[in-house]
Amino acid sequence: MGYVNIDVTRGVADWGADVFCEKDGLKYVGQVKMYGTSKTKISRKDVMELYGVMAYFDCQGAFFLYSGKRTAEALKAAEKLGIAWYEVNHMDMDERLEEDALPGEINIDYVWDTFIRPLEGKSFVNTQGFENKVIQVTDAYILKESEKGNRTKVKKDWFKWIIDRIRHYGFAEAIDLRNEFHTQASSFVTLIFAQIPMFKVTYNPRRIEFNNKNIGKGNG
């Protein structure tokens, strides 16, 4: 699109900057928001934060690379602040499998109702040795409680995003979820997938894959 000197950030401690680049002698910062078909929308708050990132890094322009929906307030704020929008489809950007890695009947609703709902009330220990308890499983999120007693809602949409990634590319990495939604809950999502027999979790990096040897098995 005419941008040069493109520098993609590491995705960790990036202050909300996903890419830096230049165009016509000006420095730009870009943020990636691939919400796809999820209910999450790019909000006015997201636009204001990107504008702050632009100022902090002494950039002269900013843009979103996005898929999914945007709120009316986000559009209004972006127009006022001169922030550009570039709609993309990340499914077309990555190398997809010739055939889906997941059987068609394995979708988010099936996984949620069959494997995740029964986890309500159970506790799990992550790789750092910290306990996480599933307090409640609703139609939209998991309410979890950390070892320190802090409660957080972990969205069902994030699990759907992982399943879609596995279906189309054969695997999903927790860092991708973190970069996509700028959430700190990626390790907990991985921990939950580790409780589901039809998925296999490996670490360093945290990766989730379909384990067809355990398809159809319950979670205990």
Side-chain angles (χ1 to χ4, degrees):
M1 296 180 290
Y3 292 93
V4 297
N5 297 329
I6 298 168
D7 179 23
V8 179
T9 66
R10 294 171 53 244
V12 178
D14 58 14
W15 292 55
D18 291 325
V19 59
F20 292 104
C21 51
E22 296 178 3
K23 188 174 184 180
D24 299 328
L26 302 178
K27 183 180 177 182
Y28 287 80
V29 60
Q31 190 173 97
V32 180
K33 293 286 188 184
M34 297 296 184
Y35 290 156
T37 59
S38 77
K39 296 180 181 179
T40 304
K41 297 180 180 180
I42 302 174
S43 66
R44 175 176 56 85
K45 179 175 179 290
D46 294 321
V47 174
M48 301 302 291
E49 287 180 352
L50 180 57
Y51 186 73
V53 171
M54 180 185 77
Y56 181 85
F57 286 105
D58 299 319
C59 296
Q60 290 79 49
F63 58 82
F64 282 102
L65 292 171
Y66 80 100
S67 68
K69 299 178 181 179
R70 303 164 292 175
T71 66
E73 285 188 340
L75 292 170
K76 183 177 180 180
E79 182 179 7
K80 171 75 174 180
L81 300 175
I83 294 177
W85 301 95
Y86 296 113
E87 185 174 12
V88 296
N89 184 350
H90 72 272
M91 296 294 188
D92 294 334
M93 297 174 67
D94 293 334
E95 184 176 351
R96 296 180 57 154
L97 301 176
E98 292 184 3
E99 296 182 2
D100 287 350
L102 283 174
E105 65 271 16
I106 299 179
N107 55 38
I108 180 57
D109 291 328
Y110 170 74
V111 171
W112 194 261
D113 293 336
T114 306
F115 298 99
I116 296 180
R117 284 191 186 277
L119 299 179
E120 186 172 298
K122 296 183 179 181
S123 297
F124 307 97
V125 178
N126 62 24
T127 54
Q128 287 76 42
F130 297 112
E131 185 179 66
N132 290 264
K133 184 175 182 179
V134 178
I135 301 298
Q136 183 184 20
V137 181
T138 74
D139 290 337
Y141 61 83
I142 295 174
L143 179 63
K144 80 172 184 78
E145 184 177 87
S146 70
E147 194 169 80
K148 295 181 178 180
N150 298 321
R151 293 192 173 189
T152 307
K153 292 179 180 179
V154 182
K155 295 181 180 180
K156 181 180 179 180
D157 281 342
W158 299 344
F159 291 87
K160 179 182 184 300
W161 189 87
I162 290 287
I163 290 173
D164 288 342
R165 291 286 294 185
I166 296 172
R167 182 182 308 283
H168 295 300
Y169 308 118
F171 68 91
E173 293 188 352
I175 189 64
D176 292 330
L177 179 70
R178 182 172 181 173
N179 291 341
E180 186 78 8
F181 296 102
H182 293 277
T183 173
Q184 302 295 319
S186 58
S187 60
F188 177 78
V189 172
T190 307
L191 182 62
I192 294 299
F193 272 104
Q195 314 308 314
I196 305 174
M198 69 173 62
F199 294 101
K200 178 177 67 174
V201 174
T202 55
Y203 296 89
N204 297 320
R206 292 195 302 269
R207 174 179 286 199
I208 306 165
E209 300 178 60
F210 177 55
N211 185 1
N212 57 8
K213 294 181 180 179
N214 287 326
I215 186 170
K217 295 184 179 181
N219 59 352

